[in-house]
Amino acid sequence: MAELELVGLSKRYGRDLVLDDVSLSVQEGELVTVLGQSGSGKTTMLRSIAGFVTPSGGDILVHGRSVLNAPINQRGIGIVFQNYALFPHLTVRQNVGYGLRVRRLPRHEIRERVDRELERVLLSAYADRKPAQLSGGQQQRVAVARALVLRPRIVLFDEPFSNLDAMLRESLRRELRDLQKRLRFTAMFVTHDQREAMALADRVAVMRGGRLVQMGAPTDVYERPAHRAIAELLGRANLLDCQTAAGEDGRALLRWHGHTLRTDDDLGAAGDGACVLLRPEHVAVRPGAPDAPAPNQLGGVLSSVEYHGPSRLAVISEPGGGTLLADLRSGPADPYLAPGDPVTASWPSAAVRVIDA
Amino acid sequence: MTAGRTRGGARRAAWLPLAPVLTLYAIQFVVPMALVAVTSFRRHESAGQMGGFTTDNFTKILQDPYYLGMLGRSLLLAGETAVLTAVLGYPIAYALARGPRWLKVVLLVVVMVPLMTSSVVRSFGWMVLFARDGLFSTLAGPLGDGPAGLMYTSTGVLVATAHVLLPFMVLTLYGVLDRLNPTLVHASMNLGASRTGTFFRITLPLSMNGVVAGMLLVFATATSAFVTPQLIGGTRYRVAATEIYEQSINLLNWPLASAMAVLLVAIALLTMAVYTRLSRDTGGSGATGIIG
């Protein structure tokens, strides 16, 4: 049975439908990230689960039981807030022990559990400080410890890393992943950062305009986006509007600005046109014009190169007016490519993904 | 040297716009206060006549139970007013900070209107209610034995003074409560606390500096309240401010009146010093902006 299940969850503010018939389930011990831009309804969804927002329709089930009528303080669902929401007048120890104190546990037990939790998040040395005396990353850890000390079965994370710098985010992300696997709690993690969403998740739920538009393993969502907007949300994408044509061997072909694309995908359902996703990292680039026209290859001119360190992002203009992005892995002896150079781009047919326009 | 002079010049320039108001303060406040302070050390010869310097006025006030009681009554009234406005003002400020918009508008009007009305008018309003055959005693009549007029009583003065000073308390508290992060309430409840528990564990402690600031502000203002005690307390309920008026205007004992005034101002200044200290220690509170 699913640990957490949303059934047709909706929320309406006046005339705005912020959450539109969202159904999903999270398995025990699973970490689901919810990816969406601001206004996609992801935070409203999280707040509904925690009980801060009363949904307009649908149901929220925990272990098959509706929690809609349970007040906030009896849902037993932990939450880590975006701005941590630490109590500024309490010390780190008092913050972490807050939930235990509210439950009137014996003093020594509170102390023991708080100490253990602080050790787990490497903050024992800071137990008697106030939150204002901690760095952002430390505050974030206190917020996690405060939620986890109560051993909730489900923990919600509302963009907890969004105020931290990139390097710290990455290490905290790994720590969190580790902690979640070790303590085996079920987690829902809301973020607008697609790298974070994919790196953390067992499954990613993609939200758009209040609706759940796709849910699946990170590779599935990245490689097989259900919609062009999802393809763009998850990373750089070449989205090519192609015409379909009959090939000589009977297999369907795709035509884009006079170039021929072959795909391993089934074109059966596609009509006259199809939208093709070609990820930039699947495009290979070599200097010079092509020797002869061939499928899955085009000649063009390099219009710009952005150096990113591990990779370079090349923008190629082809004579028909189309542009193609290529993400080139940096090597120790890369050929020098300068804007204006003629280049040949090519890609394997497996990289050509037909998606619903 | 040049740099130092330029910086000094810039500092002078920054002070310049303050010059008019500082001059005004000097003429209106510092000079009269200095005169009052000097007068408080003069000997009272007869009505309107002053002799050489002496400390008799202060010893008289601090030794005569009549005057001491007067001061004590003033301080008691101020303390009670501070407590009463805090108790009444907190829920109002809370609703202002957290309530729906229509409630904010209603409350803001209700709280602010007294500020815009003359205190004489307000006091007359209370007099109508408090009078022996006024609304209150008429309503209370059937319940108790006989009409319970609040005119010329400490309770009457307290209620009317609290009404006058409530806006200061509400605005001070509102400033603090409005800046309180509402997510903290959600966080507390998520961790298992009830609404009441959250209020006492989180909201109240975090707004305590506002409560203290508001009470000090009200206290300092109430010690020098004049119109309300004069009209509602009359001659039967005398406080320091009304006694000063009596001494200076009717009895023409200016030195004694001045000495009492000096004592009152000293108490007010002391209160404000404590307040400033507190708000600095707590990193400033919402009242700082209001008091200026």
Side-chain angles (χ1 to χ4, degrees):
Chain A
M1 183 186 290
E3 177 98 41
L4 172 67
E5 200 172 353
L6 308 185
V7 187
L9 199 65
S10 301
K11 177 64 188 176
R12 189 181 283 282
Y13 285 113
R15 295 183 58 192
D16 292 338
L17 198 55
V18 188
L19 212 53
D20 185 1
D21 193 24
V22 173
S23 297
L24 64 83
S25 63
V26 185
Q27 301 305 312
E28 222 176 302
E30 191 181 25
L31 198 164
V32 167
T33 57
V34 182
L35 176 66
Q37 286 161 335
S38 52
S40 62
K42 56 189 195 305
T43 296
T44 305
M45 182 172 95
L46 206 73
R47 295 170 65 82
S48 304
I49 299 171
F52 306 151
V53 167
T54 311
S56 316
D59 206 349
I60 300 166
L61 309 175
V62 174
H63 271 299
R65 278 238 191 91
S66 173
V67 295
L68 273 191
N69 292 320
I72 301 177
N73 53 353
Q74 279 160 39
R75 291 209 177 179
I77 296 174
I79 185 165
V80 176
F81 293 92
Q82 182 169 11
N83 297 312
Y84 321 132
L86 299 179
F87 306 124
H89 58 306
L90 303 180
T91 63
V92 168
R93 180 187 300 286
Q94 290 168 329
N95 263 284
V96 176
Y98 187 86
L100 302 171
R101 230 167 28 251
V102 165
R103 284 167 177 71
R104 302 190 190 288
L105 293 184
R107 199 177 281 249
H108 66 270
E109 188 185 340
I110 295 179
R111 202 174 170 89
E112 249 169 58
R113 285 175 68 173
V114 169
D115 280 345
R116 201 178 332 134
E117 211 59 40
L118 286 175
E119 219 166 285
R120 204 196 300 281
V121 295
L122 311 172
L123 281 173
S124 304
Y126 301 90
D128 295 317
R129 296 215 189 165
K130 292 276 177 72
Q133 296 167 292
L134 302 180
S135 72
Q138 288 165 339
Q139 291 185 33
Q140 210 279 321
R141 284 196 175 101
V142 177
V144 170
R146 186 177 66 176
L148 292 186
V149 76
L150 298 173
R151 288 284 163 274
R153 290 303 312 139
I154 301 171
V155 186
L156 310 173
F157 296 85
D158 185 10
E159 308 210 28
F161 301 153
S162 61
N163 295 327
L164 305 170
D165 62 74
M167 295 293 277
L168 191 57
R169 277 164 95 126
E170 230 169 84
S171 66
L172 281 174
R173 193 198 290 163
R174 275 195 295 274
E175 270 175 42
L176 178 66
R177 183 75 181 143
D178 226 52
L179 211 58
Q180 189 262 335
K181 287 297 158 218
R182 212 142 33 93
L183 301 177
R184 298 191 47 73
F185 56 83
T186 304
M188 188 177 261
F189 188 106
V190 161
T191 178
H192 63 263
D193 179 335
Q194 92 278 357
R195 281 147 75 75
E196 197 165 271
M198 289 191 287
L200 268 171
D202 293 315
R203 283 192 298 158
V204 182
V206 185
M207 304 264 308
R208 197 161 170 267
R211 304 187 70 99
L212 175 70
V213 283
Q214 192 172 5
M215 188 162 178
T219 47
D220 288 348
V221 182
Y222 184 75
E223 303 282 346
R224 295 266 166 219
H227 189 274
R228 56 192 300 159
I230 302 172
E232 282 181 314
L233 191 63
L234 283 153
R236 282 193 204 90
N238 291 301
L239 290 164
L240 315 176
D241 290 308
C242 302
Q243 286 87 48
T244 46
E248 290 153 12
D249 55 355
R251 275 181 62 195
L253 290 178
L254 293 157
R255 311 273 299 167
W256 183 68
H257 288 289
H259 309 287
T260 304
L261 281 74
R262 281 191 182 282
T263 176
D264 292 352
D265 286 0
D266 184 17
L267 269 174
D272 293 341
C275 179
V276 158
L277 165 68
L278 182 56
R279 289 285 179 195
E281 66 272 19
H282 294 151
V283 178
V285 175
R286 61 182 162 78
D291 307 324
N296 287 350
Q297 169 192 294
L298 62 82
V301 170
L302 201 61
S303 58
S304 74
V305 184
E306 248 176 53
Y307 182 63
H308 292 166
S311 68
R312 289 167 299 165
L313 183 69
V315 182
I316 299 157
S317 308
E318 61 83 48
T323 54
L324 198 67
L325 297 175
D327 205 5
L328 310 175
R329 174 167 284 282
S330 299
D334 282 330
Y336 180 73
L337 289 171
D341 288 352
V343 288
T344 300
S346 61
W347 54 88
S349 59
V352 177
R353 315 272 196 198
V354 178
I355 59 178
D356 291 341
Chain B
M1 283 305 278
T2 325
R5 209 164 39 224
T6 322
R7 212 169 25 234
R11 204 173 297 146
R12 259 197 303 282
W15 275 97
L16 216 55
L18 283 176
V21 76
L22 287 179
T23 315
L24 206 66
Y25 260 67
I27 297 170
Q28 280 198 329
F29 184 72
V30 180
V31 173
M33 274 317 294
L35 285 175
V36 167
V38 170
T39 309
S40 70
F41 287 103
R42 300 285 293 276
R43 189 183 312 283
H44 175 66
E45 301 285 359
S46 62
Q49 299 296 311
M50 295 187 291
F53 289 93
T54 175
T55 53
D56 282 359
N57 302 312
F58 288 98
T59 24
K60 187 174 180 187
I61 294 168
L62 294 175
Q63 280 174 352
D64 189 329
Y66 175 76
Y67 295 112
L68 215 52
M70 198 83 62
L71 269 182
R73 221 171 299 141
S74 262
L75 296 182
L76 185 67
L77 171 69
E80 285 172 344
T81 311
V83 173
L84 187 61
T85 50
V87 171
L88 293 177
Y90 200 103
I92 299 176
Y94 190 85
L96 267 178
R98 292 286 153 82
R101 195 174 329 171
W102 65 266
L103 187 64
K104 283 188 190 193
V105 175
V106 170
L107 284 177
L108 213 57
V109 170
V110 169
V111 171
M112 296 308 285
V113 159
L115 263 190
M116 299 165 196
T117 325
S118 146
S119 49
V120 177
V121 173
R122 266 176 310 186
S123 296
F124 272 118
W126 282 112
M127 286 166 77
V128 170
L129 296 176
F130 287 164
R132 191 181 304 213
D133 42 9
L135 187 63
F136 281 8
S137 38
T138 312
L139 286 178
L143 304 172
D145 36 26
L150 286 174
M151 276 305 288
Y152 316 118
T153 65
S154 58
T155 313
V157 175
L158 170 64
V159 169
T161 312
H163 176 232
V164 174
L165 296 179
L166 189 62
F168 296 106
M169 176 61 83
V170 169
L171 290 179
T172 306
L173 283 173
Y174 171 68
V176 176
L177 286 170
D178 192 45
R179 276 188 296 162
L180 211 72
N181 178 2
T183 316
L184 294 180
V185 171
H186 277 160
S188 165
M189 293 187 69
N190 175 263
L191 292 167
S194 63
R195 250 175 215 293
T196 326
T198 300
F199 177 79
F200 285 108
R201 286 171 190 273
I202 305 297
T203 312
L204 189 60
L206 285 175
S207 54
M208 213 52 209
N209 56 355
V211 175
V212 172
M215 284 178 72
L216 289 173
L217 178 65
V218 167
F219 180 86
T221 318
T223 46
S224 55
F226 171 71
V227 174
T228 310
Q230 174 82 334
L231 291 178
I232 293 178
T235 45
R236 267 189 269 166
Y237 184 77
R238 272 278 163 78
V239 292
T242 47
E243 179 66 19
I244 292 171
Y245 177 83
E246 178 73 15
Q247 290 290 342
S248 60
I249 304 297
N250 292 338
L251 305 175
L252 299 183
N253 187 346
W254 297 327
L256 189 68
S258 298
M260 291 189 75
V262 166
L263 285 173
L264 267 192
V265 170
I267 290 167
L269 284 179
L270 202 70
T271 319
M272 288 324 250
V274 171
Y275 162 75
T276 316
R277 185 65 176 271
L278 276 178
S279 56
R280 199 177 44 222
D281 287 352
T282 53
S285 76
T288 3
I290 293 166
I291 295 170

